Amino acid sequence: MLETQTLVTELAITVRSTDMDADRNVNNAVFFTYFEQSRLEHLIGLGAIRWPPGPTDRPQFALAETSARFRAPAFHRDVLLVRTYTTEVRTRSFSVAFEIERKRDGLLICDGRSAQVWLGEDGRPAALPVGVREALVRSMGREST
C-alpha cells in the first residue's frame, strides 16, 4: 500500500440560539447533530453516498455506534470548525472520527467517532460496494490493493 495524506472534511457551523441549553452553552446532544452534518458532507465529498437521494432511494447505511468526549463549552454565535476523517474501512462497515474546535481561539471543544454499517437492497448489512470502499480507503491516504 502507498501511504499519502488523509483527507479531512472541514465544516464551519455557527452556534444557533436553539442549540443552547438552560446553562446557556451548547447542549451535549446537539454535538451529535454537528457530527451528522459533517459526516454527510464528508461522505458526499468522497462520492461514497448519493446526494440528493431520489424519492425511491433506500438508506445507504445505518449508524451502529457513536460517541463523544465533551472537553469545553461552546456558546451562542461561536463558529465551530467540525473536522471529519475516515479512520477504518471493513468489509461491511466503516468508521469516521470528529474534532470540533472553536475558530476564534483554536480550543478543542469536542471529539468523537461513529461507526456505520452499509445496507443492502433488503435493508440488512451488506458488503461495501467496490466504489464506496475504494473512496473510503483513498480518503485514509491509502491505495486499494
Side-chain angles (χ1 to χ4, degrees):
M1 268 190 226
L2 174 68
E3 295 288 337
T4 58
Q5 189 167 350
T6 301
L7 177 80
V8 177
T9 300
E10 184 173 275
L11 178 66
I13 296 177
T14 301
V15 175
R16 305 166 303 169
S17 61
T18 55
D19 295 344
M20 312 305 288
D21 62 19
D23 293 327
R24 299 192 330 213
N25 57 50
V26 175
N27 183 294
N28 288 357
V30 173
F31 286 99
F32 292 101
T33 64
Y34 298 162
F35 288 175
E36 175 189 18
Q37 283 180 263
S38 188
R39 178 177 45 246
L40 288 174
E41 290 301 321
H42 183 67
L43 296 172
I44 291 166
L46 296 177
I49 61 171
R50 293 180 303 275
W51 201 262
T56 60
D57 282 349
R58 57 168 179 71
Q60 296 167 71
F61 65 89
L63 191 63
E65 177 184 346
T66 189
S67 63
R69 286 183 289 193
F70 306 104
R71 299 182 176 273
F75 304 99
H76 180 241
R77 301 193 66 185
D78 277 347
V79 176
L80 303 178
L81 301 176
V82 185
R83 293 185 185 94
T84 304
Y85 50 96
T86 308
T87 57
E88 182 179 30
V89 180
R90 302 182 86 179
T91 303
R92 299 187 304 177
S93 64
F94 60 96
S95 297
V96 297
F98 309 97
E99 296 173 357
I100 299 179
E101 174 184 293
R102 187 168 38 229
K103 184 177 179 180
R104 70 178 152 86
D105 59 8
L107 182 65
L108 181 62
I109 300 294
C110 180
D111 60 7
R113 63 176 299 279
S114 67
Q116 294 70 217
V117 174
W118 197 261
L119 301 175
E121 293 294 326
D122 61 359
R124 298 177 50 82
L128 293 168
V130 172
V132 171
R133 180 176 182 66
E134 288 175 351
L136 290 165
V137 168
R138 263 193 321 273
S139 77
M140 295 186 341
R142 297 186 175 94
E143 294 291 325
S144 295
T145 56

